Amino acid sequence: MKKLLAFLLMACLMASVMTTALSAGDNKDLSILWSSGGNGDFVDYTAAKLKEAYGLNISLEYNAKAHEILRPQILGGNPPDIAMVQHSFFDYFAAIEGGAYLPINDYLGLTVDGSEQTVYEAGSSDIIDSLRVNEDAYLLMSNMNVNGLYYNKAMFDAHGWDVPETWDDFILLCETIKTTTDIAPFIYPGRYPYYLQSFIMPQVASAGRGMDSIKDINNMTEGIWNSPEFLVAAERIQYMRDHGYFADSIALSHTEAQMEFINGNAAIIAGGSWLQNEMGDAWPEGFELTYMATPSGAAADDEKFVLVSGNFFGFLSAGANSDWNGEFLQYYFSPESALTVAREYSVVISPAMLAENEEIRNMLSDSVVQSFMSANENSKYFMLYSMWYAEFHAQYQNQLTALISGEIDAAEFCENMEDLAQQVREDDFITKYQVS
């Protein structure tokens, strides 16, 4: 039944695209649906500039359940022109395969308003390329988060701890913390093991072929989950488990784990650039939240890998008007738009703009700036497989919990994951995707 529904959805998507014609160039209407709830009203500046410059009549709806609104609109052939919904609730790639989205290739070379940067540069070219389908670009990030490790610099300074640059340094630090204090060396939200993606995947990349190993994970390349590099990463997790470096956080939510960190019960936490804002007024005076790129290599100057995440937006094929897509992007990724969003929401919509614009950096906390500067300086990666194969990703998290809790060892973890991956590869009813 599930497979039949998926087929019918695809057919409806195709039908809605083929039967809806785009409006003429003099159309001055533009409709935008944007997910709210933890995101912010990021489009206000862009909408105001489009009205001022071109006299557009803009219908802009912010809705926490935008995904529930968009699906029936696509099926009915009357979607908005532009939509941003959270990818955890909406399969962008199935919609793209069904023809529901327009390619954006022609807009990427446009220069954004107030800068010499192109949409391609300001919109994060490496991420745009990683999201391509059949070589065409369809999606841009509405905002970006940087994931990684965080520590309290004041705590490190008080104990005389050095920030680790290599894996050996990291393990030595964990042992020092464990044997000389009552502080847990490392904590993560055990109820949400995906927080460890920023810690585990760099281990795989460093032990293997760098970004090619990450690419193989996303592409579900045969043998990647029980490869030598993945076994190294799993054995490192097992080593930390066996030596008591993990806090007892299997049952903790993200906010509960973060409170343990804030209260000084853990030295290092797996989190993201949203951390400082998310915990609001909980930070005690003197707490110096600081970002750390995961130390996974053998030498201090080895390549480091930084996980980025965020939400996507795109242009609907059956929208009433596609004439203003380019202008929308030129304003959305402009320095003034990036500054407005940083000032009002402490959110980054363009890491490239942050890097070149001191005024934007001044609007953000030190930990956020550190996170994004590290992402700009190191190799960024995006875990696409978790969106493409959600059920598999859920099984991965269960296996990871089993490894950390001691139910299985590193070798069993890798073999179990490769078996699960092979089931995905052999299932003809699961659409397969490839990183370009």
Side-chain angles (χ1 to χ4, degrees):
M1 184 65 179
K2 182 178 178 182
K3 296 170 183 176
L4 176 60
L5 289 173
F7 175 80
L8 291 174
L9 172 61
M10 195 69 71
C12 289
L13 287 171
M14 290 299 294
S16 69
V17 171
M18 290 187 291
T19 58
T20 306
L22 295 176
S23 301
D26 59 355
N27 194 329
K28 293 285 187 172
D29 295 323
L30 184 67
S31 59
I32 304 170
L33 174 65
W34 209 263
S35 178
S36 62
N39 293 300
D41 300 347
F42 299 165
V43 191
D44 285 355
Y45 171 84
T46 301
K49 292 298 291 186
L50 288 170
K51 288 180 182 179
E52 175 188 336
Y54 303 105
L56 299 191
N57 304 309
I58 296 179
S59 171
L60 172 56
E61 179 181 357
Y62 292 106
N63 196 304
K65 296 184 177 180
H67 54 284
E68 295 181 4
I69 297 172
L70 183 61
R71 288 193 194 98
Q73 288 179 334
I74 291 176
L75 293 173
N78 62 336
D81 300 304
I82 305 168
M84 187 281 275
V85 296
Q86 295 186 43
H87 59 72
S88 55
F89 300 118
F90 181 81
D91 191 340
Y92 274 101
F93 296 93
I96 290 169
E97 292 284 352
Y101 279 82
L102 292 170
I104 59 172
N105 306 324
D106 293 342
Y107 310 127
L108 297 180
L110 296 174
T111 303
V112 301
D113 183 61
S115 172
E116 295 182 357
Q117 289 194 33
T118 63
V119 170
Y120 184 59
E121 293 165 335
S124 298
S125 59
D126 47 357
I127 301 302
I128 293 171
D129 287 340
S130 72
L131 298 172
R132 289 180 185 268
V133 177
N134 298 325
E135 305 302 325
D136 287 323
Y138 291 87
L139 300 175
L140 294 133
M141 297 192 76
S142 62
N143 64 292
M144 187 180 288
N145 299 314
V146 175
N147 306 58
L149 307 183
Y150 291 82
Y151 65 99
N152 179 2
K153 184 177 181 299
M155 174 189 283
F156 271 52
D157 289 346
H159 289 277
W161 298 334
D162 294 327
V163 178
E165 291 285 346
T166 68
W167 176 252
D168 288 343
D169 291 343
F170 178 80
I171 289 300
L172 179 60
L173 174 63
C174 287
E175 182 65 17
T176 300
I177 294 171
K178 180 177 180 293
T179 56
T180 62
T181 73
D182 294 328
I183 302 169
F186 189 92
I187 195 169
Y188 76 102
R191 284 167 56 183
Y192 309 113
Y194 61 81
Y195 270 74
L196 285 175
Q197 295 286 56
S198 63
F199 182 69
I200 293 175
M201 296 307 171
Q203 317 295 342
V204 179
S206 291
R209 294 160 291 114
M211 291 298 287
D212 283 341
S213 292
I214 299 293
K215 182 178 179 180
D216 281 348
I217 295 168
N218 283 326
N219 287 344
M220 299 289 275
T221 301
E222 188 169 354
I224 184 60
W225 291 95
N226 62 355
S227 63
E229 58 258 47
F230 224 109
L231 180 59
V232 167
E235 287 175 338
R236 288 179 174 184
I237 294 297
Q238 182 176 326
Y239 184 91
M240 291 180 64
R241 175 198 76 189
D242 293 344
H243 286 76
Y245 297 156
F246 286 110
D248 184 12
S249 63
I250 291 290
L252 298 186
S253 69
H254 59 299
T255 52
E256 290 169 333
Q258 286 160 193
M259 279 308 305
E260 288 293 301
F261 173 65
I262 287 173
N263 290 332
N265 297 323
I268 301 169
I269 190 169
S273 53
W274 60 84
L275 180 56
Q276 187 147 351
N277 286 342
E278 186 171 65
M279 298 308 289
D281 297 329
W283 302 99
E285 186 176 352
F287 198 106
E288 298 179 49
L289 184 65
T290 307
Y291 180 78
M292 178 197 307
T294 298
S296 56
D301 58 354
D302 280 357
E303 183 179 14
K304 288 186 171 61
F305 304 90
V306 176
L307 172 65
V308 296
S309 59
N311 291 306
F312 310 135
F313 72 93
F315 303 100
L316 281 299
S317 301
N321 179 25
S322 63
D323 298 317
W324 304 103
N325 295 349
E327 287 80 1
F328 178 89
L329 294 175
Q330 286 178 298
Y331 283 122
Y332 187 77
F333 288 111
S334 69
E336 196 62 36
S337 174
L339 177 62
T340 300
V341 171
R343 179 175 58 244
E344 296 183 5
Y345 303 107
S346 297
V347 166
V348 175
I349 62 174
S350 172
M353 286 297 169
L354 177 145
E356 77 168 20
N357 193 309
E358 184 178 1
E359 191 175 3
I360 293 174
R361 295 195 296 275
N362 289 339
M363 292 295 111
L364 301 165
S365 67
D366 290 344
S367 66
V368 172
V369 173
Q370 292 160 2
S371 303
F372 279 91
M373 296 303 286
S374 180
N376 284 331
E377 294 165 1
N378 295 300
S379 296
K380 294 193 291 291
Y381 66 97
F382 200 109
M383 296 316 303
L384 289 161
Y385 86 88
S386 60
M387 290 183 290
W388 293 341
Y389 313 109
E391 291 183 11
F392 172 83
H393 182 54
Q395 292 172 318
Y396 160 75
Q397 294 181 79
N398 291 336
Q399 290 294 314
L400 186 55
T401 297
L403 173 61
I404 293 173
S405 63
E407 297 174 37
I408 59 176
D409 63 21
E412 290 173 305
F413 170 82
C414 292
E415 289 302 323
N416 292 347
M417 288 310 307
E418 182 61 23
D419 289 344
L420 291 166
Q422 189 61 27
Q423 293 175 26
V424 173
R425 299 182 195 113
E426 294 175 354
D427 191 333
D428 293 337
F429 288 94
I430 297 178
T431 303
K432 312 301 191 301
Y433 299 100
Q434 294 286 302
V435 176
S436 300

